Amino acid sequence: MMNVQIEESWKARLQTEFDKPYFETLTAAVRQEYAGGTCYPPGRLIFNAFNLCPFDRVKVVIIGQDPYHEPGQAHGLSFSVNDGVPFPPSLQNIFKEIHDDLGTPIPTSGNLTRWAEQGVLLLNATLTVRAHQANSHSQLGWQTFTDAAIRTLATERDHLVYLLWGGFARGKSYMIDKSKNLVLESVHPSPLSANRGGWFGNHQFSRCNEYLQQNGIEPIQW
């Protein structure tokens, strides 16, 4: 039985995944990658999204593709960067839309731990990456695991908000029962997509909070 260092409520639900042959293969491949060169995030933060947001506390799910691949950025939360790191373009656009939607000031830190601790699961579909090479770990098997996490939420939890940005994330919507949850889809916040229209003015953050409140759930302080 594989002993993965991950938050206990997630461990209980995902242990069956950890015991499958693909996960053993994935673990070996990730270890080899980390041993052979620089990879992100640091090993202890690979499951940070789960560790900061226990299963029963999830309110919102934001799906990213894979971690940032430049030094000092990635710390295991999709779209988030460590304190003191300049905001990547997608995060700038996220903050701008929150400001336009809710009137809140642009934050000084791009560290979204504050969201995770309120129940926002900031999940990358692929949890690791080789330095300077986007999507370099996308074929290792991570998506089998993260899809299982999404399916488990979709099966056991209702009244969640899923924010699916861009074609990749929207491809996960088939797993979610839209009659029991709110699924908000839009273009990706990256400049290439956002500037073509459909990101700014989509009011996803206010719509998310309205849905949570309608279901008696504390809204997110974005």
Side-chain angles (χ1 to χ4, degrees):
M1 187 161 155
M2 186 172 279
N3 183 26
V4 176
Q5 299 300 310
I6 193 171
E7 192 275 331
E8 288 302 319
S9 63
W10 282 107
K11 189 174 200 169
R13 287 167 178 86
L14 296 174
Q15 186 64 54
T16 52
E17 295 301 309
F18 300 145
D19 292 337
K20 289 177 181 174
Y22 87 84
F23 199 85
E24 198 172 321
T25 306
L26 167 63
T27 303
V30 170
R31 284 203 179 113
Q32 193 173 353
E33 284 283 315
Y34 273 74
T38 303
C39 295
Y40 302 119
R44 65 192 164 76
L45 296 177
I46 290 172
F47 295 111
N48 203 22
F50 299 98
N51 294 338
L52 290 173
C53 191
F55 185 84
D56 293 320
R57 294 192 50 210
V58 177
K59 301 176 184 178
V60 181
V61 181
I62 298 179
I63 298 172
Q65 198 154 350
D66 73 331
Y68 295 123
H69 49 266
E70 296 305 326
Q73 293 180 311
H75 63 125
L77 304 177
S78 62
F79 295 101
S80 178
V81 289
N82 281 305
D83 289 316
V85 175
F87 302 163
S90 292
L91 190 56
Q92 288 179 31
N93 286 339
I94 290 168
F95 287 159
K96 187 174 186 306
E97 174 57 22
I98 291 171
H99 170 72
D100 294 349
D101 187 11
L102 301 173
T104 51
I106 302 280
T108 53
S109 168
N111 186 330
L112 304 182
T113 297
R114 58 185 182 273
W115 292 3
E117 289 173 341
Q118 293 180 73
V120 182
L121 182 69
L122 293 158
L123 183 64
N124 279 316
T126 296
L127 296 183
T128 58
V129 70
R130 202 180 294 157
H132 319 302
Q133 295 178 44
N135 289 318
S136 46
H137 287 180
S138 62
Q139 303 305 313
L140 295 187
W142 276 124
Q143 287 189 51
T144 308
F145 170 70
T146 52
D147 279 359
I150 295 165
R151 276 202 189 87
T152 306
L153 278 171
T155 305
E156 294 189 34
R157 298 285 314 280
D158 295 339
H159 307 311
L160 300 185
V161 181
Y162 292 83
L163 301 180
L164 305 181
W165 302 334
F168 179 83
R170 290 158 92 167
K172 307 290 183 184
S173 66
Y174 75 93
M175 294 187 261
I176 303 155
D177 184 343
K178 296 176 183 64
S179 68
K180 296 179 180 174
N181 302 278
L182 179 64
V183 178
L184 296 175
E185 300 185 23
S186 85
V187 299
H188 197 275
S190 69
L192 194 65
S193 304
N195 296 337
R196 282 201 297 247
W199 172 257
F200 296 111
N202 66 29
H203 300 293
Q204 289 200 359
F205 300 96
S206 57
R207 287 158 70 195
C208 169
N209 278 352
E210 280 163 20
Y211 178 84
L212 292 174
Q213 286 176 300
Q214 283 163 7
N215 288 286
I217 302 163
E218 187 78 22
I220 304 296
Q221 299 294 317
W222 297 105

